Amino acid sequence: MELSRLVCAFLLAACCCCRRAAGVPGEAEQPEPELVEVEVGSTALLKCGPSRSQGNFSHVDWFSVHKEKPTLIFRVRQGQGQSEPGEYQHRLSLQDKGTTLALTHVTPHDERIFLCQGKRPRSQEHRIQLRVYSECPHLFCGQGGSWEVVVPRPSSFLSLVEAPEEPSIQVNPLGISVNSQEPEEVATCVGRNGYPIPQVIWYKNGRPLKEEKNRVHIQSSQIVESSGLYTLQSILKAQLVKEDKDAQFYCELNYRLPSGNHMKESREVTVPVFYPAEKVWLEVEPMGMLKEGDRVEIRCLADGNPPPHFSISKQNLSTKEMEEEITDDNGILVLEPAQKEHSGLYECQGLDLETTASLLSDQQELLVNYVSDVRVSPEAPESQEGSSLTLTCEAESNQALEFQWLREKTGKVLQKGPVLQLHNLKREAGGGYRCIASVPSVPGLNRTQLVNVAIFGSPWMTLKERKMWVKENTVLNLSCEASGHPRPTISWNVDGVASEHDQDPQSILSILNVLVTPELLESGAECVASNSLGKNTTIIFLELDSNRTTGLSTSTISPHARANSTSTEKKLPEPESKGVVIVAVTVCILVLAVLGAVLYFFYKKGKLPCGRSGKQEITLPPSRKSEFVVEVKSDKLPEEMGLLQGSNGDKRAPGDQGEKYIDLRH
């Protein structure tokens, strides 16, 4: 029995040795095949041995190994190649002096192991793993304008290569609490349409994350799409701390193409991190020095998320106790406008509704700078003409004050300091004076007070005389303005409806509405202003002119012209009155032109000799010498002469200046 077993073992060993000696491919211990990658449709170059091999390739057989079964596809004898019948018969050729076998028009079905075997000087084998890939988008490939979907089949080993799309990342919107006892979801990363399956790496603040027990967990899964591509989904779970509130997370997809290794990154995201507050404090806006009238906001802040419930309290100056203030819906205490009473100590209290822990802020002092109401003494200053007057300005503030006096009418600065002295007062000195109290260290903080100075005197009339062109039976408004101290009253000598308007504390304007009657045309109107120190009048002359329309004379006069002397009237005629004046001036010019032409005619005829003497006699024939005499007087220039009255009291023509006269003698 034992002899038969020994015989069997010997025969089996001899058989194996014979097979190995016979060179049957695939039976010896096989090394790792050489990897050759080639794209679909291109040519694969298969070298029989390493590139530095010095072997003899004059006698080589090439095999195609499919399902571990080798099939002879090509023979090389004495450097000449010959294809065996089959699927590779027309696609194989020799290159590089017989050391390289070229396989053209590579298809997905060509992905397999190819084996070359040399027989001289000794048996040699070299295995090549051909890997076929495609970089067509979503596996749509084609030739000659036709397109087809290339999908891997069980019988095909095609290595389809597709770069995944840009990874998308979605952060956990609910956030993570630092009090969580286990890792919670931070974000989800999705990489779509890739082949083969890419690898995902998570980063926090630029540093890669690795699995860490009870701290970091990465859960990945993949889905095969109908196109044969893969969609990868990776979920990052981690335990976070307060310092991670601003941490930036992102994912990276790593994949390999024949051109090398590549990667794509997602955008960075920040996950909400919830943690209890450890400190609360007060914040006041605006910053810097505050003043009365400002809008001031006081708010509480904390270093927790979410922030606790806040309340703001102010110290009562009487009891020294902190009393809660009323805030708006956002927990902000708004002081608008801020007053000096708002100054004091404030503090904030934060209550964590989850842990019921209470935190108090440090007390903070709020200072609202102020200037009190300005007081001027005397309150109603009055003085006589020629005398002096002193005005004093007073105010209080928590800061150093500066004072200055301005003339209200002109805005001119009269004096810096709280005291204003006025000397040798005149009536024009009456009116408004303004005192300004300001704080230089707080821009915009000031208060002012206006005071009116009254100068005793009888009424001053704006106009002494006025002339108005009117039409009979029309309604007319007559105006009269007067100033003085005490303030005067105005009366009229004609009947009508009068209304009074206060111009300032010492001035009054009266407007009388009257009907133009013959009696009013004859008597005119008189305005009388009076006070305890005297009275003054303004006379309004009314003249009837059928060619004129009723016009109201307006007068503007500066304060220094308001005296009891005669005032100059400034009338603004109506458009029709202007037309009449133009016509009159034109007629006068024509008359002067005619007169000048006559005189020039006599001069040219030699009948009007001129000389240096004041009198010249016109040369005439002897028979007419005694008929008339012309005398010329040039003592005064025409523009210096007024209109002269004739012997009968009538006015002369405008051209008659009283400088020349002609004596006619018969």
Side-chain angles (χ1 to χ4, degrees):
M1 189 70 179
E2 292 180 358
L3 180 61
S4 60
R5 288 182 180 178
L6 289 173
V7 171
C8 289
F10 176 77
L11 292 175
L12 181 61
C15 182
C16 290
C17 291
C18 291
R19 289 180 62 87
R20 183 169 298 181
V24 179
E27 297 298 325
E29 185 178 347
Q30 299 174 351
E32 191 72 21
E34 178 187 356
L35 178 64
V36 174
E37 294 180 322
V38 63
E39 189 175 3
V40 172
S42 61
T43 299
L45 300 179
L46 310 177
K47 293 182 179 294
C48 188
S51 58
R52 296 181 181 180
S53 176
Q54 301 297 326
N56 183 2
F57 300 101
S58 62
H59 190 101
V60 177
D61 292 334
W62 284 92
F63 298 87
S64 167
V65 181
H66 183 56
K67 293 183 179 180
E68 300 183 357
K69 180 181 179 181
T71 302
L72 182 64
I73 59 174
F74 198 83
R75 296 176 182 271
V76 180
R77 298 292 184 268
Q78 302 298 325
Q80 300 297 320
Q82 181 180 358
S83 296
E84 295 293 323
E87 60 177 322
Y88 295 106
Q89 183 176 359
H90 303 292
R91 293 195 291 146
L92 296 173
S93 62
L94 281 179
Q95 292 185 6
D96 297 338
K97 298 180 181 180
T99 63
T100 302
L101 181 66
L103 173 62
T104 61
H105 306 299
V106 174
T107 68
H109 304 288
D110 294 331
E111 181 160 315
R112 61 188 63 189
I113 292 177
F114 290 85
L115 182 147
C116 76
Q117 188 177 69
K119 301 226 176 191
R120 295 178 185 176
R122 57 186 177 86
S123 180
Q124 298 178 5
E125 272 191 12
H126 184 69
R127 299 167 63 86
I128 300 172
Q129 171 67 62
L130 182 62
R131 180 170 295 170
V132 183
Y133 67 88
S134 171
E135 291 188 4
C136 302
H138 299 290
L139 300 182
F140 283 91
C141 303
Q143 294 179 354
S146 62
W147 292 83
E148 61 178 347
V149 180
V150 179
V151 181
R153 290 179 253 175
S155 61
S156 173
F157 298 92
L158 174 65
S159 296
L160 298 168
V161 180
E162 175 75 7
E165 299 175 4
E166 294 289 336
S168 63
I169 188 170
Q170 182 65 43
V171 71
N172 178 10
L174 301 179
I176 297 176
S177 173
V178 298
N179 296 325
S180 177
Q181 300 300 319
E182 58 184 17
E184 294 190 17
E185 180 180 336
V186 176
T188 300
C189 178
V190 177
R192 301 182 183 278
N193 298 321
Y195 192 94
I197 302 174
Q199 292 182 343
V200 64
I201 300 177
W202 282 95
Y203 289 84
K204 182 180 80 170
N205 295 331
R207 296 183 177 180
L209 294 174
K210 296 182 180 181
E211 286 275 352
E212 185 178 348
K213 187 176 181 180
N214 297 329
R215 295 289 298 172
V216 178
H217 177 60
I218 300 174
Q219 179 181 341
S220 298
S221 61
Q222 56 270 350
I223 300 174
V224 180
E225 305 290 350
S226 59
S227 62
L229 301 179
Y230 288 96
T231 293
L232 174 68
Q233 177 177 283
S234 179
I235 300 175
L236 172 65
K237 296 183 178 181
Q239 270 193 326
L240 301 183
V241 295
K242 179 180 178 180
E243 289 71 20
D244 294 326
K245 59 185 178 66
D246 298 320
Q248 301 286 329
F249 294 89
Y250 69 93
C251 63
E252 176 185 281
L253 297 182
N254 291 316
Y255 56 95
R256 186 179 184 278
L257 296 178
S259 57
N261 293 324
H262 300 268
M263 66 90 174
K264 291 183 178 180
E265 294 178 346
S266 71
R267 61 184 177 90
E268 294 182 332
V269 295
T270 301
V271 63
V273 179
F274 303 121
Y275 47 90
E278 299 176 356
K279 181 182 179 181
V280 297
W281 64 92
L282 281 172
E283 183 179 82
V284 179
E285 290 185 356
M287 300 178 63
M289 302 191 74
L290 305 176
K291 63 180 183 296
E292 283 191 318
D294 286 345
R295 174 187 170 89
V296 179
E297 294 184 357
I298 304 176
R299 58 169 52 85
C300 291
L301 298 176
D303 60 352
N305 184 33
H309 175 73
F310 294 120
S311 61
I312 300 176
S313 302
K314 179 180 182 292
Q315 186 183 55
N316 188 311
L317 295 178
S318 302
T319 63
K320 304 300 181 182
E321 296 290 332
M322 301 301 293
E323 298 178 353
E324 185 174 346
E325 298 286 321
I326 299 176
T327 59
D328 63 10
D329 295 339
N330 298 320
I332 301 174
L333 177 60
V334 180
L335 309 177
E336 186 181 20
Q339 304 291 335
K340 66 177 182 178
E341 292 79 12
H342 292 141
S343 298
L345 291 177
Y346 290 82
E347 73 176 10
C348 175
Q349 181 178 12
L351 177 63
D352 192 321
L353 299 179
E354 183 177 350
T355 63
T356 67
S358 179
L359 295 172
L360 278 177
S361 70
D362 295 333
Q363 291 185 345
Q364 184 171 337
E365 183 177 7
L366 183 72
L367 178 61
V368 180
N369 297 286
Y370 69 92
V371 176
S372 68
D373 292 335
V374 178
R375 302 177 301 277
V376 175
S377 58
E379 294 182 0
E382 52 187 15
S383 184
Q384 301 288 342
E385 283 191 272
S387 62
S388 298
L389 181 64
T390 300
L391 301 177
T392 303
C393 186
E394 296 179 349
E396 288 81 34
S397 174
N398 63 321
Q399 303 285 348
L401 283 172
E402 284 187 359
F403 295 89
Q404 63 178 0
W405 285 91
L406 281 72
R407 187 72 159 107
E408 180 69 10
K409 188 179 299 182
T410 62
K412 180 181 178 182
V413 178
L414 302 176
Q415 181 72 40
K416 289 189 176 181
V419 178
L420 175 64
Q421 292 184 340
L422 303 174
H423 302 286
N424 192 20
L425 293 172
K426 299 183 181 299
R427 291 185 175 184
E428 293 81 2
Y433 293 82
R434 184 175 295 276
C435 173
I436 301 178
S438 60
V439 178
S441 59
V442 184
L445 180 57
N446 61 72
R447 288 288 187 93
T448 69
Q449 180 62 45
L450 177 66
V451 63
N452 283 286
V453 174
I455 308 298
F456 286 104
S458 59
W460 318 326
M461 305 301 291
T462 302
L463 298 173
K464 297 297 293 181
E465 292 182 356
R466 296 172 57 193
K467 182 183 291 185
M468 298 183 64
W469 298 93
V470 298
K471 282 188 176 182
E472 192 173 353
N473 296 326
T474 59
V475 177
L476 185 66
N477 285 333
L478 304 177
S479 63
C480 181
E481 184 177 0
S483 301
H485 185 69
R487 196 179 76 164
T489 59
I490 293 179
S491 60
W492 296 85
N493 69 334
V494 293
D495 294 333
V497 180
S499 59
E500 294 185 349
H501 307 274
D502 294 336
Q503 301 295 91
D504 58 55
Q506 283 80 44
S507 300
I508 188 170
L509 173 67
S510 178
I511 298 177
L512 180 68
N513 187 268
V514 295
L515 178 66
V516 179
T517 62
E519 293 79 9
L520 182 61
L521 288 170
E522 182 178 354
S523 63
E526 183 178 273
C527 163
V528 180
S530 60
N531 63 10
S532 59
L533 299 179
K535 64 179 181 178
N536 209 340
T537 62
T538 292
I539 301 175
I540 303 175
F541 298 101
L542 304 178
E543 293 193 13
L544 186 64
D545 190 337
S546 58
N547 294 328
R548 299 177 181 270
T549 58
T550 305
L552 177 61
S553 300
T554 59
S555 172
T556 56
I557 186 168
S558 59
H560 64 270
R562 296 178 178 176
N564 290 331
S565 60
T566 302
S567 301
T568 303
E569 179 185 359
K570 186 186 297 181
K571 294 200 294 183
L572 301 176
E574 295 295 323
E576 292 187 14
S577 300
K578 291 182 179 179
V580 173
V581 172
I582 293 173
V583 172
V585 171
T586 305
V587 171
C588 293
I589 292 174
L590 291 175
V591 171
L592 289 173
V594 172
L595 181 59
V598 171
L599 293 176
Y600 182 73
F601 174 76
F602 280 110
Y603 173 73
K604 282 295 186 178
K605 292 295 185 179
K607 303 194 179 209
L608 190 63
C610 297
R612 295 185 180 180
S613 173
K615 296 182 180 180
Q616 294 291 336
E617 184 176 354
I618 300 176
T619 305
L620 294 175
S623 60
R624 302 188 59 185
K625 242 182 200 184
S626 60
E627 292 184 6
F628 63 89
V629 177
V630 177
E631 182 178 21
V632 179
K633 289 185 178 181
S634 58
D635 296 335
K636 295 182 179 180
L637 296 174
E639 56 270 17
E640 296 177 358
M641 300 293 294
L643 295 177
L644 301 180
Q645 299 286 339
S647 59
N648 57 358
D650 296 334
K651 293 182 181 179
R652 296 189 180 185
D656 188 356
Q657 301 299 323
E659 299 175 0
K660 305 179 182 69
Y661 67 87
I662 301 175
D663 185 12
L664 302 178
R665 300 176 184 180
H666 302 283

